[in-house]
Amino acid sequence: SQQGEEDPQALSIQEGENATMNCSYKTSINNLQWYRQNSGRGLVHLILIRSNEREKHSGRLRVTLDTSKKSSSLLITASRAADTASYFCATDQTGGFKTIFGAGTRLFVKA
Amino acid sequence: NAGVTQTPKFQVLKTGQSMTLQCAQDMNHEYMSWYRQDPGMGLRLIHYSVGAGITDQGEVPNGYNVSRSTTEDFPLRLLSAAPSQTSVYFCASSYVTTSGQGVYGYTFGSGTRLTVV
């Protein structure tokens, strides 16, 4: 079974709107990462947040982590058509090196 | 350009054939791993390695072997291909932290599309 589960499975918004995706996981973690995958391509690393951090920013991306709820969210502000992609969260379990991916959220940004 | 190189990009195998998917990185990353991605799904971890001579199983290791004789290379061997192994295979690498906090963000290869008929 997968460690991380994203919600929603799919999201369609207008250009300029904000997009929020959520990730829940089951066990204690070292890190949580977010990746983007354009159709048919490899994954691109967006941001990594460690278990002792609560929030990180990178450009138009904002990631939060709530270890008490075992959940994370990825916010993309002022979305663009180029943000259309699948977004995955991935977690490293505490004490290990197995990085487990969720099934992803498909984001479609309409121009 | 620095990065993760996977070969081949496409492969068709007959059931029962064996083959090796190649993965090489030139960033001196300690950690390397193999994932498979089936249509509409996330990635599932097959095998991983935290350094030369060290490998371990992931979520779906059956039917696959790996070895890590050098830091740069991490080949994935399919022992006897089955239609259930039709998938896109991704190799990824990363530095390992010295603080016990796992890895940094991964660099992924562009993938190998494998079809088993």
mmCIF file of all heavy atoms in Angstrom, chain B residues 75-103:
data_model
loop_
_atom_site.group_PDB
_atom_site.id
_atom_site.type_symbol
_atom_site.label_atom_id
_atom_site.label_comp_id
_atom_site.label_asym_id
_atom_site.label_seq_id
_atom_site.Cartn_x
_atom_site.Cartn_y
_atom_site.Cartn_z
ATOM 1 N N PRO B 75 22.255 -0.749 -12.597
ATOM 2 C CA PRO B 75 21.425 -1.450 -13.582
ATOM 3 C C PRO B 75 20.311 -2.273 -12.936
ATOM 4 O O PRO B 75 20.469 -2.811 -11.837
ATOM 5 C CB PRO B 75 22.435 -2.356 -14.302
ATOM 6 C CG PRO B 75 23.517 -2.585 -13.290
ATOM 7 C CD PRO B 75 23.601 -1.328 -12.480
ATOM 8 N N LEU B 76 19.215 -2.365 -13.666
ATOM 9 C CA LEU B 76 18.055 -3.153 -13.222
ATOM 10 C C LEU B 76 17.868 -4.302 -14.195
ATOM 11 O O LEU B 76 17.702 -4.092 -15.393
ATOM 12 C CB LEU B 76 16.796 -2.280 -13.218
ATOM 13 C CG LEU B 76 15.487 -2.984 -12.839
ATOM 14 C CD1 LEU B 76 15.473 -3.320 -11.347
ATOM 15 C CD2 LEU B 76 14.277 -2.117 -13.194
ATOM 16 N N ARG B 77 17.881 -5.511 -13.665
ATOM 17 C CA ARG B 77 17.745 -6.701 -14.504
ATOM 18 C C ARG B 77 16.391 -7.337 -14.340
ATOM 19 O O ARG B 77 15.947 -7.595 -13.214
ATOM 20 C CB ARG B 77 18.843 -7.719 -14.167
ATOM 21 C CG ARG B 77 20.186 -7.371 -14.740
ATOM 22 C CD ARG B 77 21.216 -8.450 -14.416
ATOM 23 N NE ARG B 77 21.569 -8.439 -13.009
ATOM 24 C CZ ARG B 77 22.464 -7.616 -12.477
ATOM 25 N NH1 ARG B 77 23.098 -6.746 -13.229
ATOM 26 N NH2 ARG B 77 22.722 -7.668 -11.189
ATOM 27 N N LEU B 78 15.729 -7.567 -15.484
ATOM 28 C CA LEU B 78 14.508 -8.349 -15.495
ATOM 29 C C LEU B 78 14.899 -9.783 -15.821
ATOM 30 O O LEU B 78 15.495 -10.053 -16.857
ATOM 31 C CB LEU B 78 13.529 -7.835 -16.559
ATOM 32 C CG LEU B 78 12.689 -6.623 -16.176
ATOM 33 C CD1 LEU B 78 13.550 -5.367 -16.084
ATOM 34 C CD2 LEU B 78 11.548 -6.440 -17.157
ATOM 35 N N LEU B 79 14.570 -10.690 -14.934
ATOM 36 C CA LEU B 79 15.080 -12.052 -15.029
ATOM 37 C C LEU B 79 14.339 -12.862 -16.085
ATOM 38 O O LEU B 79 14.950 -13.573 -16.880
ATOM 39 C CB LEU B 79 14.960 -12.733 -13.673
ATOM 40 C CG LEU B 79 15.584 -11.938 -12.517
ATOM 41 C CD1 LEU B 79 15.315 -12.616 -11.182
ATOM 42 C CD2 LEU B 79 17.080 -11.749 -12.739
ATOM 43 N N SER B 80 13.008 -12.770 -16.098
ATOM 44 C CA SER B 80 12.165 -13.497 -17.056
ATOM 45 C C SER B 80 10.916 -12.644 -17.240
ATOM 46 O O SER B 80 9.992 -12.702 -16.432
ATOM 47 C CB SER B 80 11.811 -14.886 -16.529
ATOM 48 O OG SER B 80 10.961 -15.558 -17.420
ATOM 49 N N ALA B 81 10.917 -11.841 -18.291
ATOM 50 C CA ALA B 81 9.894 -10.809 -18.442
ATOM 51 C C ALA B 81 8.487 -11.401 -18.514
ATOM 52 O O ALA B 81 8.255 -12.454 -19.132
ATOM 53 C CB ALA B 81 10.175 -9.981 -19.688
ATOM 54 N N ALA B 82 7.560 -10.684 -17.872
ATOM 55 C CA ALA B 82 6.145 -11.062 -17.875
ATOM 56 C C ALA B 82 5.321 -9.845 -18.294
ATOM 57 O O ALA B 82 5.744 -8.700 -18.074
ATOM 58 C CB ALA B 82 5.721 -11.526 -16.487
ATOM 59 N N PRO B 83 4.144 -10.067 -18.893
ATOM 60 C CA PRO B 83 3.297 -8.922 -19.292
ATOM 61 C C PRO B 83 3.000 -7.959 -18.154
ATOM 62 O O PRO B 83 2.838 -6.754 -18.386
ATOM 63 C CB PRO B 83 2.022 -9.609 -19.806
ATOM 64 C CG PRO B 83 2.498 -10.935 -20.321
ATOM 65 C CD PRO B 83 3.593 -11.356 -19.368
ATOM 66 N N SER B 84 2.959 -8.464 -16.915
ATOM 67 C CA SER B 84 2.699 -7.606 -15.755
ATOM 68 C C SER B 84 3.833 -6.612 -15.509
ATOM 69 O O SER B 84 3.671 -5.670 -14.723
ATOM 70 C CB SER B 84 2.489 -8.450 -14.501
ATOM 71 O OG SER B 84 3.655 -9.212 -14.227
ATOM 72 N N GLN B 85 4.975 -6.809 -16.161
ATOM 73 C CA GLN B 85 6.098 -5.886 -16.006
ATOM 74 C C GLN B 85 6.092 -4.785 -17.065
ATOM 75 O O GLN B 85 6.998 -3.942 -17.103
ATOM 76 C CB GLN B 85 7.421 -6.645 -16.043
ATOM 77 C CG GLN B 85 7.595 -7.557 -14.837
ATOM 78 C CD GLN B 85 8.889 -8.353 -14.877
ATOM 79 O OE1 GLN B 85 9.172 -9.065 -15.852
ATOM 80 N NE2 GLN B 85 9.675 -8.262 -13.822
ATOM 81 N N THR B 86 5.074 -4.777 -17.917
ATOM 82 C CA THR B 86 4.889 -3.662 -18.839
ATOM 83 C C THR B 86 4.644 -2.398 -18.025
ATOM 84 O O THR B 86 3.716 -2.329 -17.223
ATOM 85 C CB THR B 86 3.698 -3.938 -19.767
ATOM 86 O OG1 THR B 86 4.015 -5.042 -20.615
ATOM 87 C CG2 THR B 86 3.388 -2.713 -20.616
ATOM 88 N N SER B 87 5.501 -1.396 -18.228
ATOM 89 C CA SER B 87 5.449 -0.211 -17.387
ATOM 90 C C SER B 87 6.462 0.807 -17.899
ATOM 91 O O SER B 87 7.220 0.544 -18.836
ATOM 92 C CB SER B 87 5.770 -0.590 -15.934
ATOM 93 O OG SER B 87 5.513 0.487 -15.061
ATOM 94 N N VAL B 88 6.476 1.960 -17.261
ATOM 95 C CA VAL B 88 7.552 2.926 -17.473
ATOM 96 C C VAL B 88 8.458 2.868 -16.246
ATOM 97 O O VAL B 88 7.971 2.957 -15.111
ATOM 98 C CB VAL B 88 7.014 4.352 -17.672
ATOM 99 C CG1 VAL B 88 8.174 5.315 -17.903
ATOM 100 C CG2 VAL B 88 6.042 4.405 -18.840
ATOM 101 N N TYR B 89 9.741 2.713 -16.481
ATOM 102 C CA TYR B 89 10.704 2.564 -15.399
ATOM 103 C C TYR B 89 11.539 3.823 -15.265
ATOM 104 O O TYR B 89 12.084 4.333 -16.245
ATOM 105 C CB TYR B 89 11.610 1.357 -15.661
ATOM 106 C CG TYR B 89 10.866 0.051 -15.548
ATOM 107 C CD1 TYR B 89 10.134 -0.445 -16.627
ATOM 108 C CD2 TYR B 89 10.865 -0.664 -14.363
ATOM 109 C CE1 TYR B 89 9.423 -1.630 -16.522
ATOM 110 C CE2 TYR B 89 10.161 -1.854 -14.241
ATOM 111 C CZ TYR B 89 9.435 -2.325 -15.324
ATOM 112 O OH TYR B 89 8.724 -3.498 -15.203
ATOM 113 N N PHE B 90 11.631 4.325 -14.047
ATOM 114 C CA PHE B 90 12.410 5.517 -13.759
ATOM 115 C C PHE B 90 13.525 5.197 -12.775
ATOM 116 O O PHE B 90 13.322 4.502 -11.783
ATOM 117 C CB PHE B 90 11.533 6.614 -13.151
ATOM 118 C CG PHE B 90 10.571 7.233 -14.123
ATOM 119 C CD1 PHE B 90 9.236 6.865 -14.119
ATOM 120 C CD2 PHE B 90 10.997 8.191 -15.029
ATOM 121 C CE1 PHE B 90 8.341 7.426 -15.007
ATOM 122 C CE2 PHE B 90 10.111 8.767 -15.931
ATOM 123 C CZ PHE B 90 8.782 8.377 -15.912
ATOM 124 N N CYS B 91 14.676 5.757 -13.062
ATOM 125 C CA CYS B 91 15.809 5.703 -12.153
ATOM 126 C C CYS B 91 15.955 7.081 -11.520
ATOM 127 O O CYS B 91 15.710 8.106 -12.177
ATOM 128 C CB CYS B 91 17.070 5.332 -12.929
ATOM 129 S SG CYS B 91 18.567 5.242 -11.954
ATOM 130 N N ALA B 92 16.339 7.113 -10.251
ATOM 131 C CA ALA B 92 16.497 8.386 -9.551
ATOM 132 C C ALA B 92 17.729 8.323 -8.663
ATOM 133 O O ALA B 92 18.139 7.250 -8.211
ATOM 134 C CB ALA B 92 15.262 8.693 -8.707
ATOM 135 N N SER B 93 18.326 9.490 -8.392
ATOM 136 C CA SER B 93 19.499 9.522 -7.512
ATOM 137 C C SER B 93 19.452 10.754 -6.627
ATOM 138 O O SER B 93 18.764 11.738 -6.922
ATOM 139 C CB SER B 93 20.787 9.503 -8.341
ATOM 140 O OG SER B 93 20.971 10.732 -9.017
ATOM 141 N N SER B 94 20.228 10.678 -5.533
ATOM 142 C CA SER B 94 20.255 11.793 -4.581
ATOM 143 C C SER B 94 21.490 11.673 -3.699
ATOM 144 O O SER B 94 22.041 10.589 -3.514
ATOM 145 C CB SER B 94 19.012 11.770 -3.699
ATOM 146 O OG SER B 94 19.088 12.742 -2.666
ATOM 147 N N TYR B 95 21.893 12.806 -3.112
ATOM 148 C CA TYR B 95 22.846 12.758 -2.023
ATOM 149 C C TYR B 95 22.136 12.215 -0.781
ATOM 150 O O TYR B 95 20.920 12.284 -0.655
ATOM 151 C CB TYR B 95 23.390 14.156 -1.700
ATOM 152 C CG TYR B 95 24.303 14.731 -2.745
ATOM 153 C CD1 TYR B 95 23.932 15.849 -3.479
ATOM 154 C CD2 TYR B 95 25.555 14.166 -2.988
ATOM 155 C CE1 TYR B 95 24.780 16.381 -4.438
ATOM 156 C CE2 TYR B 95 26.396 14.693 -3.946
ATOM 157 C CZ TYR B 95 26.010 15.798 -4.662
ATOM 158 O OH TYR B 95 26.839 16.323 -5.608
ATOM 159 N N VAL B 96 22.930 11.680 0.137
ATOM 160 C CA VAL B 96 22.424 11.224 1.424
ATOM 161 C C VAL B 96 22.914 12.194 2.485
ATOM 162 O O VAL B 96 24.096 12.560 2.493
ATOM 163 C CB VAL B 96 22.910 9.801 1.743
ATOM 164 C CG1 VAL B 96 22.487 9.390 3.150
ATOM 165 C CG2 VAL B 96 22.368 8.816 0.717
ATOM 166 N N THR B 97 22.027 12.615 3.370
ATOM 167 C CA THR B 97 22.442 13.550 4.412
ATOM 168 C C THR B 97 23.349 12.849 5.410
ATOM 169 O O THR B 97 23.287 11.636 5.589
ATOM 170 C CB THR B 97 21.235 14.118 5.162
ATOM 171 O OG1 THR B 97 20.626 13.068 5.918
ATOM 172 C CG2 THR B 97 20.211 14.704 4.198
ATOM 173 N N THR B 98 24.183 13.623 6.085
ATOM 174 C CA THR B 98 25.059 13.059 7.113
ATOM 175 C C THR B 98 24.431 13.185 8.487
ATOM 176 O O THR B 98 25.007 12.779 9.475
ATOM 177 C CB THR B 98 26.415 13.783 7.099
ATOM 178 O OG1 THR B 98 26.186 15.186 7.274
ATOM 179 C CG2 THR B 98 27.130 13.551 5.782
ATOM 180 N N SER B 99 23.217 13.750 8.523
ATOM 181 C CA SER B 99 22.562 14.011 9.807
ATOM 182 C C SER B 99 21.504 12.977 10.148
ATOM 183 O O SER B 99 20.759 13.147 11.089
ATOM 184 C CB SER B 99 21.909 15.396 9.772
ATOM 185 O OG SER B 99 20.963 15.449 8.716
ATOM 186 N N GLY B 100 21.431 11.903 9.366
ATOM 187 C CA GLY B 100 20.416 10.887 9.615
ATOM 188 C C GLY B 100 19.033 11.286 9.157
ATOM 189 O O GLY B 100 18.042 10.682 9.567
ATOM 190 N N GLN B 101 18.947 12.290 8.302
ATOM 191 C CA GLN B 101 17.652 12.758 7.832
ATOM 192 C C GLN B 101 17.334 12.291 6.419
ATOM 193 O O GLN B 101 16.559 12.924 5.717
ATOM 194 C CB GLN B 101 17.605 14.291 7.889
ATOM 195 C CG GLN B 101 17.543 14.836 9.305
ATOM 196 C CD GLN B 101 17.369 16.341 9.332
ATOM 197 O OE1 GLN B 101 18.181 17.078 8.775
ATOM 198 N NE2 GLN B 101 16.305 16.802 9.957
ATOM 199 N N GLY B 102 17.925 11.180 6.033
ATOM 200 C CA GLY B 102 17.558 10.598 4.759
ATOM 201 C C GLY B 102 18.241 11.248 3.584
ATOM 202 O O GLY B 102 19.438 11.513 3.606
ATOM 203 N N VAL B 103 17.476 11.523 2.553
ATOM 204 C CA VAL B 103 18.036 12.006 1.304
ATOM 205 C C VAL B 103 17.616 13.448 1.045
ATOM 206 O O VAL B 103 16.768 14.006 1.737
ATOM 207 C CB VAL B 103 17.589 11.125 0.125
ATOM 208 C CG1 VAL B 103 18.103 9.709 0.290
ATOM 209 C CG2 VAL B 103 16.072 11.125 -0.009
#
